[in-house]
Structure formats: structure tokens, C-alpha cells
Amino acid sequence: MQERLPIRAGRIARRLAGLGSVAASCLALAACAGTPAGRPAASASGSASAAGKTFDYVGWDSYLGGGESAQYSSLRQIDKSNVGQLQVAWSYPTGEGQPYRFNPLIVGTTMYVVAHDNAIVALEAATGKELWRQPNKGRVGARGMNYWASADGADRRLLFINDGVLRAISADTGQPIASFGGGAGVDLRAGLEGDFSKVRPLQTDNPGRIFENLLIISLPAGAYDYASSPADIHAYDILTGKLVWVFHVVPKKGEFGADTWPEGQRESYGGVHNWSESTIDKETGIVYNPTGTALYDFFGGNRPGNNLFANSILALDARTGKRIWHFQTVHHDLWDYDVPTAPKLLTIRKGGRQIPVLVQATKQGFVFVLDRRTGKPIWPIEERKVPASDVPGEKASPTQPFPTWPKPFARQSFTEADINPYIPEADKAKVREILRTHRNEGMFTPPSLRGSISMPGHNGGANWGSSAVDPVSGRFFIVSKQIPVVNKLTPDPRPAALAAMPNGGGDVTPYRATYDFMMQSNSLSAIGPPWSTITAYDINDGKMLWQVPDGEVLPLVEKGVRNTGSHAPRGAPGVTAGGLRFVATSSVRKLRARDVNTGAVVWEYDLPAASEGVPAIYQVGGRQFVVIAVGGNGLFTSGRDMPKPGPNQYMAFALPAGGETGARR
């Protein structure tokens, strides 16, 4: 069984053991900072609901490890001295079809995964032996689910989203919980106002977060056009499935932020969805939700204004859903610059003070660092002038927020000097012509009728699962993609299109957007390497510690071209107290362990297929494991000369059996 410690005194005392005074004082403040007077401290999520207990970074019982989304493990059995001995401890096949990128949950000696036609499967975490499986019809959240236990441990549940229905099953048997939504689950559309019969099921890959006896879920937009359902944030009672509170991400008349939208057809605006991930501050009872673009993604003439709470970090009281603060990273988004990854929580030392902070990476390659109690920037954030739109009816924001520090982790422009040297000459000529004839004025170049270059692009920069922190040292790690895109608008004269557009008319008419990720005839990007990087920051002073390419591309490696960065990886990092950072890549099919101090590779393993998603790090019986989902070719690999991928499976790695020295903390 994984060790559990008291939530405050025991957890902090154990965590501080062996640390210096600065680190100790930082972590101690993190335990108490910002708890409002008169409010009891929040109990932790998942198994931490049990009588004030928590895993303290030892377990992995929630998506991204725990509610704080750290993607960090305090286990140190596997370290830089012995990582070279890692081997496959077990594997579990998931069958043919779509490869999974699900982040496993581990509770005690049991692991929970999704496999075999979207069934929930329980495995022995030490061996991979199947214990039970619960089949599901239709889609299941692709990235993760939630675990909860009652205070006495007698009631243990798994909660997940299946074809737009929130379901609860027994963590012991996999059988549905009869008292939850009448045994049939809770249709997420039921929280919408009015008739929702024409709204398609609200399926999302964001598993939500547990706080005390609430499951907090952000609804998906339900469409990718002008018309969509509200992407509000809901909290459900874990015992019954009853809707407890709702936060409107598009404010209703009279609510804060309503004046950032036009009055016309306010109830018809959509998007603004937290499709990615969210984070819980268990000590203060705050849930942080990063939100997405207001629809339509690439044209907003019908929605003049900054459009709160789109493209924002929303800090809500987890018990009530009341807004505590917000920070908007993009005004009136026209680029699909969603805030795409879970905020990370740290406590840093700055100016002789310990400050609890939130660290947010973005698609633009920015790192926003805010006081997580108030949303106040730690370093100045400037409103800078950006290019104006030339599309009839569009009213682009004249300025956008730019962090002055830390430095960006991604390239933010694309010029002829950056053209990929590894694409054919004919392709290079076409790319030069695009760069000369399209709008290309930096990352906030608005979409246009002739086409505009967006860099690092809406599939570049940060994305889901792509960042991790070390809460002891105050370090922040980010995997980024750099994928330029051409955004081009064309008028959509159909009467049905105008009817679907809220607040249209006059010179505000619908447009359709096409976007081209500029993949060339050999399936490589138009821009040269590195196509992806791993960057480490010390958030105490904001300095970039190192940046290295994240992997390689197999066909280029075979030609002797190395260190290009993987092409469009979606492998996410996991950091350990053993000084290691584990991350897998798709275009060269490797799992690597890197030294957290330098970024240097200290171990790598050739995988039979691509790996996308977040590793889980845990221990059972004194043995530490790292498990990842493996399968398929990965993103943007069509047409590339890659060998046929091996079978879809979960693969667990550990030191040789019997050779462990015991889990050291």
C-alpha cells in the first residue's frame, strides 16, 4: 500500500525532511497560504477524502498524478545512478483499433486503465494481470478519469464520462453505482437551460477534478462553429450525481464580465470551453480552469469586445463556483489560442518573501506567473500593440498581453531563414512564395482573406499534459511543439450560415476558415528544426535553465540527421525526486529519462510504437514503476516512411525484480 500522511503536519514534516531552510519555508507556506479566515482547509481529492489523509506526491490516484496537476513523484528508488537498469516489468495489450493515451490511476495495489473497446479495466499494478473489466458503449474520456473514496473507505468509486454521460462505478468490482444518477449516470446536457434535445451528447476528454464530495467538470462547446451550447463549469455531488453549482463562462446579463460581449443574442455565444485540464489547490479550496476560444475560432466580428472569460485562467471557489479572480491571456481571440494545459502550483522565494504562485504555459510559448491567491502577476505583463485585422466586420483587439519575464519557450515567428532544409527544393520554393504573399507580422497576425501565417500556431507551443513541476526546487518543465499554420478566411454566403451566427448583419457576415499546418511532401514541417523542445525554468527567479530538442524523427535519424526534436509529439513529462524527467516521443518511438539539471538523456528505450500521453509513476511492494500507453504512429505522421507500429498496450518499467533498494523519499 502507498504511504499516506496527515494532510498538514505529517505531510509537511515528511516533505521538508532533508531540505534546506529556503525550500522548507516555501513548502510550509504552500500549506497555509491564502486560506480565508473562517474557512476550514480543503480535504484532498480522491483517496485523500479518507479522514484527512493524502498521498503527498507518492501516489498517482488522479489524472496528472493528483489534483494539483504537478506530474511529479517524490519516489526516488529509480535515480540517475541506476536508471540504466530499467527494463519492461510487464505489459498489458489493449487490442486493435484506436491507440489509447489514457493516464492510468493507481490506488493501493490496483491500476485502472481504459482498454478493449473503451472498457474500464482494473489491473494488478505490480504485474499487469487483469482483475476485472467493465465494458462501455460509445466513447470514454480519452485522457483520464477520477477516483474517490468515502471517509471510512467503504465506498470507493471511479467517475468518468461516457458519450456525454457522467458515470460512477465501484472501484472494487466495476459495477455501476445504483444511487448515482439512478444507476444510469448523469447526462451533462441536463444542466443546460431550456430544451437541449437538439444538442449532441457533451463528450469531453477533460476528466474534471474532485474536491471533497464534488466532481467539477467543464462542459465541451458541443460544436466547432458559430452556434454551440454553453461550455459552463458544473459541480456534481459525487454521491448522488445532483448538480450543485454552475459557473457561466459567457457571463449572463448583470454578471461580472457581461460588458465584454455585445448585448445582441448573448445566450447564443459558445466556445470558451476548458477542453484541456484543470487544477485544484486543496489547501485554499480553489479550482483553476484554463479556458478556450470563443466561437467562431478565427472570426469574431459578431462578438466585439474582449470576450471574458475566453482564453482566461479562472480561479473559482470549489465549494460554491464563485469567481475569486481571473486573468485573460488573449483578448478577442482570432487564432484558436486556447489556454491548453493545467496550471501548475508552486511556492517561490522572491524579494525575501515566499509567494504561492500559479504557472501557466500557453500555445504562444509564453509563461505567465501569477500569485495564485489574487491573480496578480509576479513579473510585469505589458499590453503591446498588435496588427489590426483587414477583414470586413472584424474588430480585433488593438493590444495583447506579453509577459516581460520569463522568456518565451517557443519560436514566435517564421521567416524565409527558418525554412526547413530537409524538404525538397520544390517545396522550399512554394513555402518562400507563401511567406512573401501572405500576411506575416508575428504571432498575433490576424486571419485574413489572402491568408496569414500563425506561429507557433494553434497546435504549437504548450498543449495538454505538456508541463510538469518540481514543487521542492520550484522548477517548471515544458514540452513544446512548433508548427506554423496558414489561416485563411473565405466568405460563407449561405443563409443558414448567417442564421447560425449570433449578432450578425450589416458588414458582419459569416466566414469559414481553412488552416494549413504546412506539412510538406515528405510529411515534414515547412519550418526547420527543432520541431519540439523541452525547456526548464527556475520559477524562483524566472530564469531559463536549459532547453534541448525533444527527440528525433526516425527517417532523418536513418540518414544521420540527429537532434531535430520529435515531429509534433504528444508525449507528456513526469518528474521524479530521483532527479529524472520521463517523456516519450512518437516520431522516433522512444521513452527517455533525462537529467532534470541538464536535460541530458541518461536512459532510453526503443518502443514498438508511438507513445502519446502522460506517464504514471508509482510504487507497489517497495518497487517503483513508470507506466505509459503505447500504440499507433502519433500525430502528423501520415505519408512518412515509418515502420508499421507494434501492438497497442500499456508498458510498465521498473528496476530488475529483487534488485530494489527500497523506495527512498
Side-chain angles (χ1 to χ4, degrees):
M1 294 291 290
Q2 293 140 329
E3 181 183 3
R4 302 183 183 187
L5 304 170
I7 190 168
R8 283 188 178 272
R11 176 171 66 178
I12 299 301
R14 293 290 187 90
R15 191 188 299 177
L16 301 187
L19 300 180
S21 59
V22 170
S25 59
C26 288
L27 283 169
L29 181 71
C32 57
T35 304
R39 176 188 294 175
S43 65
S45 62
S47 58
S49 337
K53 300 287 186 176
T54 183
F55 278 137
D56 186 28
Y57 299 116
V58 177
W60 206 277
D61 68 337
S62 294
Y63 176 60
L64 308 183
E68 70 281 359
S69 305
Q71 294 172 234
Y72 172 81
S73 171
S74 59
L75 298 175
R76 57 177 72 229
Q77 181 183 96
I78 302 169
D79 59 25
K80 287 179 278 189
S81 71
N82 61 23
V83 67
Q85 302 174 44
L86 274 188
Q87 60 186 31
V88 177
W90 58 261
S91 64
Y92 176 77
T94 62
E96 297 181 358
Q98 182 72 24
Y100 292 99
R101 50 183 185 269
F102 188 86
N103 186 209
L105 304 187
I106 299 90
V107 180
T109 59
T110 304
M111 175 183 292
Y112 301 99
V113 299
V114 171
H116 301 311
D117 299 325
N118 294 327
I120 306 297
V121 180
L123 307 174
E124 284 187 354
T127 66
K129 178 184 176 182
E130 184 176 306
L131 301 174
W132 55 257
R133 61 189 304 268
Q134 175 64 35
N136 293 288
K137 294 181 179 180
R139 300 164 295 170
V140 168
R143 294 201 297 272
M145 61 182 170
N146 286 281
Y147 167 79
W148 174 89
S150 60
D152 61 4
D155 185 356
R156 305 187 325 119
R157 303 183 177 194
L158 299 173
L159 297 105
F160 59 97
I161 303 171
N162 170 210
D163 259 359
V165 175
L166 176 60
R167 301 193 186 279
I169 62 175
S170 166
D172 298 313
T173 66
Q175 294 303 304
I177 304 292
S179 59
F180 186 86
V186 178
D187 191 325
L188 297 182
R189 295 174 295 183
L192 302 179
E193 296 180 0
D195 179 14
F196 61 82
S197 60
K198 295 182 180 179
V199 177
R200 67 184 183 182
L202 296 178
Q203 180 64 23
T204 176
D205 289 337
N206 181 351
R209 284 296 183 196
I210 286 179
F211 178 77
E212 297 178 346
N213 285 347
L214 295 176
L215 177 57
I216 302 169
I217 291 178
S218 298
L219 303 187
Y224 297 96
D225 212 327
Y226 293 97
S228 77
S229 58
D232 292 336
I233 302 168
H234 288 182
Y236 295 90
D237 186 295
I238 286 175
L239 296 175
T240 65
K242 179 182 176 181
L243 182 62
V244 176
W245 59 253
V246 174
F247 181 87
H248 302 126
V249 293
V250 177
K252 295 183 178 295
K253 187 174 182 179
E255 294 180 344
F256 184 94
D259 58 349
T260 65
W261 294 83
E263 285 296 326
Q265 296 181 273
R266 176 187 301 277
E267 303 303 318
S268 298
Y269 292 105
V272 195
H273 48 314
N274 170 216
W275 60 265
S276 55
E277 305 158 339
S278 57
T279 296
I280 288 281
D281 186 337
K282 295 175 285 189
E283 303 297 343
T284 62
I286 298 175
V287 57
Y288 301 99
N289 292 274
T291 62
T293 306
L295 295 177
Y296 185 51
D297 288 345
F298 303 101
F299 178 76
N302 64 316
R303 49 176 172 87
N306 282 352
N307 306 143
L308 289 177
F309 294 98
N311 307 89
S312 297
I313 305 161
L314 260 175
L316 305 180
D317 185 315
R319 295 181 179 89
T320 66
K322 301 297 184 183
R323 184 186 66 91
I324 297 174
W325 59 262
H326 75 278
F327 183 89
Q328 190 173 52
T329 62
V330 179
H331 311 315
H332 191 77
D333 187 14
L334 302 174
W335 304 270
D336 193 20
Y337 281 156
D338 304 319
V339 187
T341 188
K344 305 300 178 180
L345 308 182
L346 291 172
T347 297
I348 64 170
R349 186 173 180 87
K350 183 177 184 292
R353 297 184 300 126
Q354 289 82 41
I355 307 173
V357 300
L358 175 149
V359 187
Q360 182 68 67
T362 72
K363 289 184 179 181
Q364 305 97 281
F366 286 142
V367 178
F368 290 89
V369 185
L370 310 173
D371 186 317
R372 69 177 186 252
R373 300 163 297 184
T374 64
K376 180 181 178 181
I378 300 302
W379 291 282
I381 297 173
E382 297 177 348
E383 287 288 333
R384 297 179 185 172
K385 187 176 180 180
V386 293
S389 175
D390 57 7
V391 176
E394 184 57 86
K395 303 171 184 66
S397 175
T399 64
Q400 294 292 348
F402 285 72
T404 60
W405 193 257
K407 294 180 179 178
F409 56 83
R411 289 180 286 176
Q412 296 176 325
S413 65
F414 182 22
T415 69
E416 290 190 33
D418 302 313
I419 293 176
N420 188 354
Y422 305 115
I423 61 176
E425 290 300 323
D427 288 357
K428 293 178 185 177
K430 292 177 183 177
V431 173
R432 281 192 289 269
E433 182 66 16
I434 290 172
L435 293 175
R436 291 169 184 168
T437 58
H438 288 55
R439 290 196 65 176
N440 188 17
E441 302 151 59
M443 64 178 163
F444 286 113
T445 305
S448 61
L449 299 177
R450 60 182 166 125
S452 299
I453 306 295
S454 178
M455 177 69 193
H458 65 270
N459 211 312
N463 218 295
W464 56 269
S466 62
S467 62
V469 291
D470 181 338
V472 176
S473 66
R475 291 183 179 180
F476 174 74
F477 305 90
I478 179 72
V479 172
S480 67
K481 305 191 295 288
Q482 300 177 72
I483 305 175
V485 61
V486 174
N487 295 325
K488 187 174 183 179
L489 297 176
T490 56
D492 187 349
R494 296 174 301 139
L498 181 59
M501 170 190 271
N503 200 42
D507 66 345
V508 178
T509 57
Y511 290 86
R512 302 295 299 173
T514 57
Y515 45 89
D516 176 7
F517 289 113
M518 303 184 77
M519 297 297 165
Q520 303 302 299
S521 61
N522 60 357
S523 296
L524 294 178
S525 176
I527 200 169
W531 296 301
S532 62
T533 59
I534 304 174
T535 307
Y537 294 90
D538 184 344
I539 301 299
N540 292 286
D541 57 17
K543 291 182 179 178
M544 186 182 292
L545 299 175
W546 49 262
Q547 184 176 79
V548 296
D550 177 28
E552 298 171 314
V553 177
L554 186 57
L556 292 179
V557 169
E558 293 172 346
K559 297 177 182 179
V561 180
R562 309 298 302 270
N563 299 315
T564 59
S566 184
H567 211 268
R570 291 192 292 186
V575 176
T576 75
L580 299 171
R581 186 182 191 281
F582 290 93
V583 65
T585 53
S586 53
S587 59
V588 78
R589 298 180 183 173
K590 287 182 183 290
L591 173 64
R592 293 183 174 89
R594 294 180 180 269
D595 187 326
V596 296
N597 295 319
T598 66
V601 175
V602 293
W603 172 83
E604 62 181 33
Y605 182 88
D606 290 319
L607 299 171
S611 178
E612 299 185 317
V614 184
I617 302 165
Y618 65 99
Q619 69 174 19
V620 175
R623 192 181 188 195
Q624 182 180 345
F625 295 82
V626 179
V627 64
I628 58 172
V630 176
N633 277 320
L635 185 66
F636 290 141
T637 55
S638 177
R640 193 176 303 150
D641 187 17
M642 297 283 288
K644 182 180 178 180
N648 302 330
Q649 58 190 298
Y650 292 97
M651 298 182 69
F653 297 83
L655 298 176
E660 312 87 28
T661 58
R664 302 190 304 273
R665 294 177 56 80

